[in-house]
Amino acid sequence: MTPLPDPVHSRAVLVGTASYRHLPQLPAVEANVVDLAAELCDPTVWGLPVRHCAVVTDPLSPQTVLDPVYQAGEEATDTLFVYFSGHGMRDTDSADLYLALGDSREHLGYTAVAYQHLRTALRSSRARRKIVVLDCCFSGRAARALTGGDVLAAEAAVDGAYVLTASPGDRIALAPDGERNTAFTAELLRVLREGVTEGPELIDLDTLYRVLEERLRAKNRPLPQRSQENGVGRLPLARNKARAGRRTLAGPVLATEVRAAVVATGLALARLLRATGNTRDALPVLRLALQEQQSAGARGDMVAVQLELSELLAETGQVGEAIEVLELAFQQVHKGYGPEAVLVCRRLAELLQESGNHLQACEVLKHALDISEHAGPA
């Protein structure tokens, strides 16, 4: 039996655009990315480490979407999983698919992210296998592009890619009023959470597609589409919880992995709350996530939580506590030479300068310069 993709050498990028200036709002998209991140990081489903799952909410520029994909593609050597939920668009002058941003305008592809640019990012990835899941209108155009259904087929091909879409190329996707998730993602989450009765021990991509198609057809909802290269459809994506039994976990679970899943959910939720202006609820969520990570006795995603928390504290006027959080982060990263170490130094120096601690700010900035010199040119 083919095992699940190696979580250590795999990456996921989840993008969701819920808020729009010129297009209808899609509030269910917020829940989509939070819920899917939690499932992918759940040790009983896949067990992807929190730090390997990037969540991008309400992007306003193509680079905000594509930069994380390029970074994840460079880091992943096993599997790259990319998910987009939001409005899909058609340009007036072409049949191509565009992924809408917060400021996108109907039929104006240049205001959105061209799917061909996402394909380019996928093709540049070192990952042996790529999975693309698109929950948006006209997303079937992406699947058609990979199967040779249009004149761009030769340029669209991506070795080792599997594309799963929420609707055919000429149909809109569905976001039912009053439901937490969109129609397609709701069924996807249901498979991950509950498993497939009489299904295999590990749910592969072809099984996932078959079950989604059956369930959506039964509800008279838009039918998903798929395309694949090099037989990637046989790749398992998740443990089948229906085979695990009600009281038996689907696989060995460590306490640290459970804590990591809790931190991942908390960090993603806090970011969504901030994006919607709900700082009052985001603060306690981040504090709980940081406390949980510290209890785990491992670094994990602690720096990401600390950076997010310090930003929010500074925004709400709690500069002293923000400095304390960043000083703790500085103690953890000051011997490293990665980009997160530079980011911690820069933000800490800014807050120290604002609070009048100019000498200490200079020392931190000197350390940031030393890090940059050791890191060398990008």
Side-chain angles (χ1 to χ4, degrees):
M1 176 186 299
T2 304
L4 289 173
D6 182 1
V8 175
H9 298 102
S10 298
R11 299 291 188 274
V13 180
L14 312 183
V15 182
T17 305
S19 302
Y20 297 88
R21 291 182 58 190
H22 309 289
L23 300 172
Q25 306 303 301
L26 294 174
V29 168
E30 295 181 10
N32 281 358
V33 290
V34 170
D35 294 348
L36 185 57
E39 294 306 316
L40 295 180
C41 296
D42 186 339
T44 66
V45 178
W46 180 8
L48 190 69
V50 176
R51 61 186 179 279
H52 293 175
C53 185
V55 176
V56 181
T57 56
D58 290 330
L60 294 176
S61 65
Q63 57 265 35
T64 308
V65 174
L66 296 174
D67 283 352
V69 177
Y70 273 103
Q71 179 178 344
E74 176 64 25
E75 296 172 352
T77 54
D78 188 316
T79 300
L80 174 62
F81 182 100
V82 177
Y83 168 91
F84 173 82
S85 182
H87 282 298
M89 296 169 46
R90 293 178 295 187
D91 189 87
T92 53
D93 297 324
S94 71
D96 294 341
L97 171 67
Y98 292 84
L99 309 179
L101 303 169
D103 286 332
S104 294
R105 286 169 282 168
E106 189 68 45
H107 304 306
L108 296 178
Y110 69 87
T111 66
V113 178
Y115 179 71
Q116 61 178 331
H117 293 162
L118 178 59
R119 287 201 304 266
T120 300
L122 292 170
R123 293 175 67 180
S124 70
S125 172
R126 299 191 302 156
R128 292 188 296 118
R129 299 164 299 200
K130 298 101 176 178
I131 303 169
V132 183
V133 180
L134 301 177
D135 187 355
C136 60
C137 301
F138 316 116
S139 53
R141 293 172 182 270
R144 186 181 62 184
L146 284 178
T147 56
D150 59 24
V151 296
L152 297 177
E155 297 180 6
V158 180
D159 290 339
Y162 189 98
V163 178
L164 179 61
T165 71
S167 67
D170 58 349
R171 290 285 306 278
I172 62 171
L174 187 63
D177 291 337
E179 296 188 15
R180 175 176 173 82
N181 303 106
T182 57
F184 173 82
T185 297
E187 295 301 332
L188 171 61
L189 291 168
R190 181 183 167 196
V191 173
L192 297 178
R193 291 167 175 165
E194 302 175 6
V196 178
T197 304
E198 304 301 328
E201 182 178 347
L202 299 178
I203 300 173
D204 58 63
L205 293 168
D206 283 341
T207 298
L208 176 62
Y209 167 77
R210 175 181 56 79
V211 174
L212 290 175
E213 199 272 346
E214 291 175 354
R215 293 181 178 179
L216 289 166
R217 183 183 297 276
K219 295 182 178 181
N220 196 29
R221 292 183 167 180
L223 300 181
Q225 305 292 304
R226 65 172 170 178
S227 69
Q228 62 176 301
E229 297 279 338
N230 300 341
V232 184
R234 296 188 295 273
L235 174 68
L237 180 63
R239 298 179 176 89
N240 188 354
K241 287 191 173 182
R243 290 284 300 271
R246 292 186 177 181
R247 298 187 179 182
T248 305
L249 293 173
V253 181
L254 301 176
T256 53
E257 292 177 324
V258 175
R259 291 184 184 277
V262 172
V263 174
T265 304
L267 182 58
L269 175 59
R271 286 171 174 168
L272 283 176
L273 289 170
R274 286 190 67 192
T276 57
N278 191 350
T279 58
R280 181 178 62 85
D281 291 332
L283 267 174
V285 169
L286 283 171
R287 286 194 174 106
L288 285 173
L290 182 59
Q291 180 180 357
E292 193 68 26
Q293 185 65 61
Q294 290 172 329
S295 300
R299 178 177 165 187
D301 244 17
M302 184 181 293
V303 174
V305 176
Q306 289 167 322
L307 286 168
E308 196 80 20
L309 178 57
S310 65
E311 275 191 11
L312 190 52
L313 288 168
E315 289 176 3
T316 55
Q318 303 175 66
V319 178
E321 186 178 352
I323 291 176
E324 292 178 1
V325 171
L326 285 177
E327 286 178 337
L328 178 60
F330 179 76
Q331 294 174 10
Q332 296 164 348
V333 303
H334 77 281
K335 292 183 180 181
Y337 295 109
E340 65 179 10
V342 176
L343 186 57
V344 168
C345 290
R346 288 177 56 188
R347 292 187 179 174
L348 177 57
E350 289 173 0
L351 290 182
L352 288 169
Q353 188 172 9
E354 290 178 8
S355 62
N357 297 326
H358 302 293
L359 182 60
Q360 189 176 356
C362 288
E363 292 298 323
V364 174
L365 284 175
K366 288 179 181 177
H367 187 75
L369 182 59
D370 180 62
I371 293 174
S372 299
E373 291 175 349
H374 279 81

